[in-house]
Amino acid sequence: MEIGLNHYLVLSTILFCIGLIGVMRRKNLLMLFFATEILLNAVNVGFAAISHYYGDLTGQMFAFFVIAIAASELAVGLGLLIVWHKRHGTIDLDTMSSMRG
Amino acid sequence: MFEAVAFYLFAFLTITMFYITVTTAQALYALSALAAGMIFISAFFFILGADFLGAVQIIVYTGAVMALYAFGMMFFDTTREVKENHGNKYIVVGLSVVAAVMVVAIFSAPIISTNMQAFYPMVEGAGNTEQVGMVLFTKYLVPFEVAAIMLLVAMVAGIVLAGKKMDLSLTLMNAEEIQAAEDEKNKKVLS
């Protein structure tokens, strides 16, 4: 059985679904970060598959930039998370309501 | 045949690992499952002939990102069970599926419907790493440099944000010093 582009796109969709479910149901901010990593990886799989099946390197380039963005997002986000945890002792999403009107 | 077996095996493993990541209540299980899922994702890149991308995936995600997460988890209380947002499960799953299908359809429909021409076609007789280098350092040189500056800014931000009060050690101070530090911290939070 031949594996085509559609197989990879379906896999990418399923992984994206799992990431979105994680984003919606997680309360802990660290777990929310894990879910965003899953989202970015799902997109990377789609990029690499399209790059392979159309013989074009642009998809791989975009995947590299997505990886760079994921790394910098993590560095800044984790720093903010550590500062928040030092001040409030929790990283629960529900406690971050200081700007509620 | 080999490709099909590898694809289905790694698809099953990846989906299982990421499912564990989003459903488990233990932060450590989630971290381990995420690291395993990242390694299995790199297998797809190797199947697709993007060898350099697969190597970068293993090095950056399971090397740097996971190490940083493990390091960050030392600051948080990870032994406690994570409390979850138990809303309506079917609405969450339904919305996720709809949103994911929409995103993939929006981005892949123009690619599949039109007869797409390769913008930067693969060079014959060159390895994947060589091709990536040729395209990255000619056509994508400016985005590459901008990404480098972005990583530098992120590194400085990470050091500045997480490195505050790192010189204080609670285990090496006596009780009065700890109390003084606590008072100062409370004053800062209240003000």
Side-chain angles (χ1 to χ4, degrees):
Chain A
M1 200 172 127
E2 194 67 31
I3 298 294
L5 178 57
N6 287 340
H7 287 76
Y8 283 98
L9 288 181
V10 168
L11 174 74
S12 180
T13 315
I14 293 171
L15 294 182
F16 203 83
C17 271
I18 295 175
L20 273 181
I21 292 170
V23 168
M24 285 196 213
R25 69 186 287 271
R26 284 295 190 194
K27 229 185 202 176
N28 188 303
L29 262 182
L30 196 69
M31 302 300 218
L32 214 66
F33 272 38
F34 290 173
T36 56
E37 299 290 336
I38 295 174
L39 289 179
L40 292 167
N41 266 285
V43 174
N44 271 357
V45 171
F47 274 139
I50 289 171
S51 161
H52 176 71
Y53 284 101
Y54 282 93
D56 192 343
L57 280 171
T58 313
Q60 289 184 32
M61 295 298 118
F62 265 86
F64 283 123
F65 291 125
V66 167
I67 289 179
I69 287 169
S72 44
E73 168 250 330
L74 165 76
V76 178
L78 216 55
L80 288 171
L81 221 56
I82 288 170
V83 171
W84 185 270
H85 189 264
K86 271 184 191 165
R87 293 221 168 157
H88 299 268
T90 174
I91 47 173
D92 237 25
L93 206 55
D94 290 351
T95 59
M96 299 187 184
S97 55
S98 57
M99 283 181 76
R100 181 181 289 166
Chain B
M1 181 59 202
F2 171 74
E3 197 192 352
V5 171
F7 175 81
Y8 284 116
L9 174 68
F10 282 111
F12 173 73
L13 284 172
T14 312
I15 291 170
T16 312
M17 285 303 155
F18 283 164
Y19 182 75
I20 292 172
T21 306
V22 300
T23 51
T24 182
Q26 295 277 343
L28 272 176
Y29 291 170
L31 183 80
S32 315
L34 188 64
M38 296 295 182
I39 291 196
F40 293 141
I41 284 272
S42 77
F44 291 117
F45 296 149
F46 288 122
I47 295 171
L48 287 167
D51 301 343
F52 190 67
L53 190 57
V56 166
Q57 170 86 10
I58 292 181
I59 293 170
V60 172
Y61 270 114
T62 46
V65 169
M66 284 306 135
L68 211 56
Y69 271 133
F71 216 69
M73 274 170 71
M74 292 179 202
F75 289 94
F76 310 127
D77 189 11
T78 51
T79 50
R80 190 173 46 117
E81 291 234 327
V82 182
K83 282 207 198 82
E84 286 309 335
N85 204 351
H86 284 303
N88 193 335
K89 209 177 256 178
Y90 297 105
I91 289 180
V92 167
V93 172
L95 280 176
S96 305
V97 170
V98 169
V101 169
M102 292 258 288
V103 166
V104 173
I106 286 167
F107 282 102
S108 59
I111 296 167
I112 291 173
S113 64
T114 59
N115 204 354
M116 198 178 77
Q117 296 292 317
F119 205 43
Y120 300 123
M122 306 232 177
V123 187
E124 290 297 321
N128 177 257
T129 312
E130 208 178 336
Q131 293 173 5
V132 165
M134 280 192 281
V135 175
L136 191 62
F137 291 116
T138 54
K139 307 290 196 295
Y140 285 94
L141 187 59
V142 174
F144 178 75
E145 298 292 345
V146 172
I149 292 175
M150 185 185 68
L151 282 170
L152 177 68
V153 170
M155 187 185 78
V156 172
I159 292 171
V160 167
L161 285 172
K164 265 181 203 160
K165 299 261 181 71
M166 280 281 186
D167 49 335
L168 295 182
S169 170
L170 289 176
T171 50
L172 295 178
M173 293 192 298
N174 56 37
E176 290 92 48
E177 283 173 345
I178 292 175
Q179 193 57 48
E182 280 288 314
D183 289 345
E184 196 183 347
K185 202 174 84 182
N186 289 337
K187 208 162 47 186
K188 198 172 278 178
V189 170
L190 289 173
S191 64

